[in-house]
Amino acid sequence: MINVLFVTDEYVRQNFPIPERMSSVQLEGFIKAAQLTHLTSQIGYCLYERLEDGVDAEDLTTDEIEVYKVCQYLTGMYTYQVASEFLKSELSNTKHEEANSSRWSIDEKISAMQSQIDSIESRLRRLIDASTDISDLAKADNCNYGLDIDYDSVISYPYPYDYLQDEDC
């Protein structure tokens, strides 16, 4: 559940190339989707809820304000990505037209933005790790901080059909 929007539709419109034809209601839906899915996967649910509560109560610490500012910008970027994907599908009347249409300018913007997003996500992780209180909150049990799996640390499980030999098939 979203109690506080980290960005407004005006913020997104001022900082990203959102067409005027996209209504505020549509854009707010994209903001909520971006905030709830993309942002929570970056900062975890516990830190997300703390930031929401802190914004609502106006009692964020200095470190939390810095994290919140980066979260705002990331939410705007995620929103633009989500809205752009929607726009790509709306430019064509059929799935065939969508697959064959030339949308290079939208694709190019999304692609260019991904490297910026990666860089800002990295900065966000460093900010979180730099503060013991914020880091402890983000990494608490069941908070899902850093849902990106570190594949080097994943335990290898045997494939269930390893016992089959080629001649058995």
Side-chain angles (χ1 to χ4, degrees):
M1 177 92 180
I2 295 177
N3 299 323
V4 175
L5 289 179
F6 283 20
V7 295
T8 62
D9 63 12
E10 293 88 20
Y11 176 92
V12 175
R13 288 182 196 279
Q14 287 173 356
N15 293 290
F16 304 97
I18 299 292
E20 288 299 319
R21 68 186 167 107
M22 185 173 288
S23 74
S24 293
V25 172
Q26 284 176 316
L27 195 51
E28 186 176 307
F30 295 135
I31 291 168
K32 288 178 179 179
Q35 191 170 309
L36 193 58
T37 58
H38 292 54
L39 188 61
T40 56
S41 73
Q42 286 300 313
I43 66 174
Y45 296 107
C46 298
L47 180 54
Y48 172 80
E49 289 175 358
R50 168 60 197 134
L51 293 176
E52 248 191 352
D53 293 344
V55 168
D56 198 32
E58 297 180 10
D59 69 350
L60 291 175
T61 66
T62 306
D63 288 341
E64 289 171 339
I65 289 171
E66 291 304 311
V67 169
Y68 176 71
K69 286 178 185 178
V70 176
C71 287
Q72 282 183 299
Y73 195 64
L74 272 174
T75 300
M77 293 178 96
Y78 295 145
T79 300
Y80 176 70
Q81 274 190 323
V82 172
S84 295
E85 290 297 328
F86 173 77
L87 285 175
K88 284 179 8 183
S89 67
E90 287 297 305
L91 292 175
S92 306
N93 294 324
T94 66
K95 288 286 184 189
H96 179 71
E97 282 181 18
E98 182 182 338
N100 294 318
S101 65
S102 173
R103 298 174 310 269
W104 64 268
S105 63
I106 293 176
D107 288 338
E108 189 175 276
K109 288 175 185 174
I110 292 171
S111 174
M113 184 173 279
Q114 188 57 52
S115 66
Q116 293 174 343
I117 288 174
D118 293 343
S119 174
I120 294 171
E121 285 173 346
S122 227
R123 179 177 172 214
L124 178 61
R125 285 188 194 106
R126 286 191 307 272
L127 272 173
I128 290 170
D129 291 340
S131 168
T132 305
D133 292 339
I134 293 175
S135 180
D136 288 348
L137 179 61
K139 295 175 182 177
D141 286 341
N142 299 319
C143 288
N144 295 331
Y145 170 66
L147 289 179
D148 298 335
I149 297 172
D150 176 11
Y151 289 103
D152 293 335
S153 65
V154 174
I155 298 170
S156 175
Y157 290 101
Y159 184 67
Y161 302 107
D162 275 349
Y163 62 88
L164 291 177
Q165 301 298 319
D166 287 336
E167 58 271 356
D168 292 337
C169 294

